[in-house]
Amino acid sequence: MSHKGNLAVVSGFSGAGKGTLMKALLEQYPMQYALSISATTRKPREGEEHGREYFFLTKEQFEQLIAEDALIEYAGYVGNYYGTPKRYVQEQLEAGRDVILEIEIQGALKVKKKFPDTLLLFVVPPSAAELEKRLRGRGTETDEVIRSRLARAAEEAAYMEQYDYLLINDDLSVCVEQMHALIQAQRARVSGNSSFIADMRGQLEHLRQR
């Protein structure tokens, strides 16, 4: 039977490996998933391209999307806007692909409130020490920025229990399979199979009355 896609939101501390995890999942299951591209007002980092990592917009352009109700969610983070364009997500879900949003906690909780069947996944490293090691291993940020990211992680830790599942990103291949299994299990949710249930009831009632 045809099935509308699932919506999953992935959040986690900066440095937890969310981007690497998403890339590995899409490489392994390219026809199954669509990674929603967020819009942001922050400047591109070296190597990033408009329309690939993010849609890089001006503050005015972003606020126009807000005015047009063209975003599923949006939030402010470290002085910039981040948000999820609505049209692409809806098209992919209708086509039966599972859509993953990699967004901050504020946005994730807004999506869950708007769409209760959304699966919330929180990615963490195996320890705080490993998180610091990964942040320093990037070699792209100052000590001050790293300290601010660790402080932010301490604040974000308060929200972990509001997510459905915790994914400990220690072994990448194991974490990818865990994420895939959790998202696919959503296809069996009763709330997502109302038309199938109604059809089954009708068929059984027809058989009973023969």
Side-chain angles (χ1 to χ4, degrees):
M1 63 176 179
S2 62
H3 199 295
K4 189 177 177 181
N6 298 305
L7 186 59
V9 171
V10 176
S11 304
F13 309 136
S14 176
K18 301 183 298 295
T20 304
L21 188 56
M22 296 297 93
K23 185 179 178 184
L25 183 74
L26 267 69
E27 283 177 354
Q28 197 155 333
Y29 302 101
M31 302 306 294
Q32 183 66 56
Y33 296 104
L35 180 62
S36 176
I37 302 171
S38 296
T40 183
T41 56
R42 81 157 170 78
K43 299 297 182 185
R45 293 175 186 153
E46 188 177 346
E48 290 183 331
E49 291 181 16
H50 177 77
R52 189 177 68 186
E53 283 79 14
Y54 285 95
F55 295 115
F56 294 101
L57 307 177
T58 64
K59 185 181 178 185
E60 291 72 25
Q61 287 172 324
F62 198 102
E63 289 176 345
Q64 182 64 32
L65 291 180
I66 295 172
E68 293 171 356
D69 191 30
L71 300 167
I72 288 178
E73 57 74 37
Y74 68 92
Y77 178 65
V78 196
N80 285 300
Y81 280 129
Y82 290 82
T84 304
K86 187 184 291 184
R87 184 177 171 184
Y88 175 80
V89 172
Q90 291 175 332
E91 287 174 351
Q92 295 299 314
L93 290 174
E94 291 298 332
R97 298 184 82 189
D98 297 320
V99 178
I100 300 175
L101 312 183
E102 185 191 327
I103 56 178
E104 301 296 329
I105 292 169
Q106 296 174 59
L109 298 180
K110 286 178 185 177
V111 173
K112 183 75 166 180
K113 192 172 182 180
K114 215 171 192 179
F115 307 103
D117 286 344
T118 300
L119 181 67
L120 297 189
L121 304 171
F122 199 92
V123 180
V124 295
S127 69
E130 176 63 21
L131 179 64
E132 182 178 15
K133 180 183 173 184
R134 290 180 187 179
L135 285 170
R136 295 194 181 281
R138 287 175 172 177
T140 57
E141 292 162 343
T142 65
D143 193 60
E144 184 183 352
V145 170
I146 289 170
R147 283 201 302 270
S148 72
R149 291 194 184 281
L150 290 171
R152 174 76 178 183
E155 295 170 4
E156 291 174 335
Y159 294 91
M160 288 193 287
E161 287 153 321
Q162 295 191 45
Y163 281 66
D164 297 309
Y165 294 97
L166 203 64
L167 287 168
I168 300 173
N169 188 15
D170 190 6
D171 183 310
L172 181 64
S173 60
V174 171
C175 199
V176 166
E177 287 309 313
Q178 286 177 337
M179 180 178 284
H180 176 64
L182 288 169
I183 296 172
Q184 293 314 301
Q186 288 290 96
R187 290 182 176 269
R189 284 176 65 101
V190 168
S191 59
N193 286 279
S194 54
S195 60
F196 176 83
I197 291 169
D199 186 48
M200 177 63 77
R201 282 177 175 158
Q203 290 180 39
L204 290 170
E205 189 62 31
H206 175 73
L207 290 175
R208 188 175 73 168
Q209 292 177 9
R210 280 197 311 193

